[in-house]
Amino acid sequence: SWLVLALSGFVLLIACANLANLQLARCSARLRDFAVRAALGASRSRLMRQLLAENVVLGLAGGGAGVLLAVWLNDLLSRKAGVDGLGFPLSWPVLIFALVVSVLAGLLAGVIPAWIAARADLNTALKSQSRGSTGDRSRHRVRQALIVAEIAFALILLSGAGFFIRGLQRFAHRDPGWRTGGLITGVLTLPNTLPTDRYANEDTLRKFYDQLLERLQALPGVEHASLSSALPIFNYNSSRNFVVEGRADPPPGQEPLADYIVATPDYFATLGLPLVEGRAFTAADRADSTRVAIINESFARAYWPHESALGKRIGGTDPKDRGWMQVVGVVRDAGFVASFGSPDTPMQLYRPLPQEPWGYLSIALRSTNPEALRQPMRQAVAALDPDLPIAHLRTVHEAVDQGQHNFQTANLLLSGFALLGLLLAALGLYGVISTLVVQRTSEFGIRFALGAQANDVFRLVLGSSAWLAAIGCLIGVAGSAGLMAILSRVLPGLPGADPWLVVATVGILLAVAFLACWLPARRASRIDPLVALRTE
């Protein structure tokens, strides 16, 4: 939400810069009028109030149009959210906020033109002609600075949206280390909070797990079935500190941390998580057998980079009861497929479920047609316990889509903001250059009368505008780099900045800016000298 709000702020700033530039151009044409008013006794504050009032009216008109558009977008976004009862109501606080923003936008867009117009020199303004004036050097510099700001803001907006959109695409196609297709999952929570509850006894839990696995594996089309404490979709919901045998104990509170997962023997085959070294869990890893563990590659590299981790022992942090576990296998790192956050630890530690039975379990079934297993899974659980429902029954792809739904909605919003910002920058640049061409009509007539060719005037108008666009792009590239660095820290799971994305964004913006400047430059090159000279 903060990202959408920030980028919408960039759109508002572009719109304010557009309006300020156009108002500045209008003020240049109205300087003689302001000078006459001042000569008749109008104070500078009176002139500023008049101009600011005009801009506030424009801001309120734009805010009203925005509210009408928001009424339509409200229904669209409510449907896009995909959650029953979720909407984006236009309540009184929202409307008051829109009113305040509209007034502030009008003031922000009008304060610079009003200040410049109010401090203009009376004698110079009264002696000048009302037509064909582009203003003094200070107004010209302010106008150029506003154009540069528009281009810079537009580039930052486009780069931020492009980073997010491209990052989502690259994240969706990255290799998480396991096969996400063909999997359907569900969650079971066994009531074991009271000693009299059915599943309070660990032997009862183990018996229930064995019976459930037997039924799940017998379902038609099931290739592999597993039970575990967590699946690498959003995150692992448990982590523990540990020590390594043969190494000095770390200071209290500084023990290393690993994600902690308990699972049945077929867990790795079900997920398609490759075994790098050693073996997977087997039916022989029971409660009364040797305590064993399987670790991921990052764990093995961190503690045994130049030797095999097999046979090494890992224990808990309690010096009185380490509970040593022997490493019997190493698997590939499992990446989370629906989380952009950075994991608490890169290390993952797996334990056999019979040696540590949990009452909260995730079911995972692999099949060529996982969608067809929804009802059979419910029936398999109901046959053992009719009062035990399966929660979050869905395929992995459905879970990922649901988990990233808000990001996809934000993706659409950011794309819309980026296109709107690009359109505003192009319209603003076109409007300012067109106004300047009109105000410089007599100047171009004199140039033609002195022998200038159409191409000379065309290059004059286009060249001066192109330099402003280039400077704006340079500033925008620096701002884009800062924005991407912030986004990379906030969303570490999102793939980093792509240099070609920035190059493409600059190319698109320059092409749009060139088109916006080309039309007024072409019009200037076709001015009739006689008509232009008669405007004086």
Side-chain angles (χ1 to χ4, degrees):
S1 59
W2 65 266
L3 181 61
V4 174
L5 183 62
L7 294 184
S8 62
F10 275 105
V11 175
L12 182 61
L13 288 175
I14 294 173
C16 289
N18 276 347
L19 186 58
N21 226 334
L22 293 174
Q23 289 293 81
L24 193 59
R26 288 184 68 243
C27 286
S28 297
R30 297 172 62 188
L31 277 181
R32 197 165 186 273
D33 176 52
F34 295 147
V36 171
R37 290 172 181 266
L40 293 176
S43 63
R44 287 186 174 181
S45 61
R46 176 68 181 84
L47 294 176
M48 287 191 67
R49 286 198 302 271
Q50 176 189 345
L51 292 173
L52 288 176
E54 293 176 2
N55 282 274
V56 168
V57 171
L58 290 176
L60 290 175
V67 169
L68 293 177
L69 179 62
V71 172
W72 173 73
L73 287 176
N74 176 45
D75 182 61
L76 177 64
L77 292 177
S78 298
R79 292 198 305 268
K80 191 64 182 175
V83 179
D84 293 337
L86 179 63
F88 305 92
L90 296 178
S91 59
W92 280 110
V94 174
L95 294 176
I96 293 174
F97 175 78
L99 175 64
V100 172
V101 170
S102 299
V103 173
L104 291 178
L107 293 175
L108 180 62
V111 65
I112 294 178
W115 180 72
I116 291 179
R119 62 186 293 270
D121 183 71
L122 291 179
N123 293 326
T124 303
L126 288 172
K127 292 176 182 178
S128 67
Q129 297 291 331
S130 61
R131 297 182 298 268
S133 174
T134 61
D136 60 19
R137 184 171 299 178
S138 63
R139 286 192 294 276
H140 191 59
R141 285 197 297 265
V142 171
R143 191 179 295 124
Q144 289 178 331
L146 289 173
I147 292 176
V148 169
E150 284 184 57
I151 299 296
F153 283 139
L155 182 58
I156 294 173
L157 179 64
L158 287 170
S159 298
F163 171 85
F164 196 81
I165 295 169
R166 179 60 178 156
L168 283 176
Q169 293 175 346
R170 293 167 63 186
F171 182 85
H173 293 90
R174 71 186 181 96
D175 180 15
W178 54 285
R179 293 190 296 130
T180 59
L183 281 176
I184 186 168
T185 66
V187 174
L188 288 179
T189 303
L190 280 65
N192 59 351
T193 55
L194 297 175
T196 56
D197 283 337
R198 177 179 177 182
Y199 302 105
N201 184 275
E202 290 190 354
D203 290 334
T204 304
L205 285 175
R206 295 187 185 97
K207 182 179 179 181
F208 176 82
Y209 298 152
D210 292 340
Q211 293 175 342
L212 179 58
L213 267 181
E214 182 179 354
R215 290 179 177 273
L216 293 174
Q217 290 169 343
L219 295 178
V222 172
E223 300 173 2
H224 298 283
S226 70
L227 304 176
S228 63
S229 60
L231 296 169
I233 299 176
F234 298 99
N235 53 45
Y236 287 132
N237 50 28
S238 179
S239 58
R240 293 188 185 179
N241 298 107
F242 65 90
V243 295
V244 176
E245 186 180 35
R247 303 195 179 208
D249 290 349
Q254 300 182 21
E255 296 90 351
L257 185 72
D259 283 325
Y260 196 86
I261 309 98
V262 295
T264 54
D266 220 14
Y267 177 81
F268 303 108
T270 303
L271 294 186
L273 189 60
L275 193 68
V276 177
E277 185 181 15
R279 66 171 178 87
F281 297 136
T282 66
D285 297 316
R286 306 299 298 176
D288 55 353
S289 61
T290 303
R291 292 170 58 86
V292 296
I294 293 175
I295 60 176
N296 66 331
E297 288 182 294
S298 293
F299 198 135
R301 282 194 299 266
Y303 289 94
W304 302 283
H306 305 297
E307 57 180 317
S308 173
L310 300 183
K312 302 300 190 292
R313 294 209 303 173
I314 305 165
T317 57
D318 185 359
K320 297 180 181 179
D321 183 15
R322 293 296 189 186
W324 295 109
M325 301 167 284
Q326 184 178 5
V327 177
V328 296
V330 178
V331 295
R332 189 178 178 185
D333 295 347
F336 304 128
V337 294
S339 174
F340 300 116
S342 179
D344 296 332
T345 173
M347 292 179 282
Q348 297 161 355
L349 175 63
Y350 302 90
R351 293 270 291 122
L353 183 60
Q355 293 187 354
E356 191 173 332
W358 283 33
Y360 179 87
L361 289 177
S362 293
I363 301 173
L365 303 183
R366 177 166 293 281
S367 172
T368 55
N369 187 16
E371 291 83 1
L373 293 174
R374 300 177 194 272
Q375 191 60 29
M377 288 175 66
R378 291 190 179 97
Q379 293 172 350
V381 174
L384 296 175
D385 189 341
D387 298 325
L388 188 61
I390 301 181
H392 307 298
L393 187 57
R394 57 196 175 183
T395 66
V396 171
H397 287 169
E398 290 172 344
V400 172
D401 290 340
Q402 293 173 11
Q404 295 183 0
H405 197 282
N406 290 339
F407 288 98
Q408 296 296 341
T409 302
N411 189 357
L412 294 176
L413 288 174
L414 296 180
S415 300
F417 281 137
L419 293 177
L420 181 58
L422 182 62
L423 178 62
L424 286 176
L427 289 177
L429 192 58
Y430 171 79
V432 170
I433 301 303
S434 295
T435 304
L436 291 178
V437 167
V438 172
Q439 293 177 349
R440 296 174 67 183
T441 298
S442 60
E443 174 196 337
F444 294 146
I446 294 173
R447 289 178 180 272
F448 283 129
L450 294 177
Q453 301 298 315
N455 288 337
D456 297 328
V457 175
F458 180 84
R459 285 195 297 269
L460 174 66
V461 177
L462 189 62
S464 59
S465 305
W467 272 112
L468 296 178
I471 295 172
C473 284
L474 288 176
I475 298 175
V477 166
S480 299
L483 177 62
M484 291 182 183
I486 294 174
L487 292 177
S488 296
R489 287 196 295 269
V490 175
L491 300 170
L494 207 62
D498 184 356
W500 290 108
L501 173 65
V502 179
V503 173
T505 304
V506 172
I508 293 173
L509 189 57
L510 286 177
V512 172
F514 174 82
L515 181 62
C517 299
W518 178 79
L519 294 173
R522 182 171 174 269
R523 188 184 310 121
S525 66
R526 295 186 175 185
I527 291 176
D528 187 344
L530 293 179
V531 175
L533 291 174
R534 289 195 188 109
T535 60
E536 283 294 330

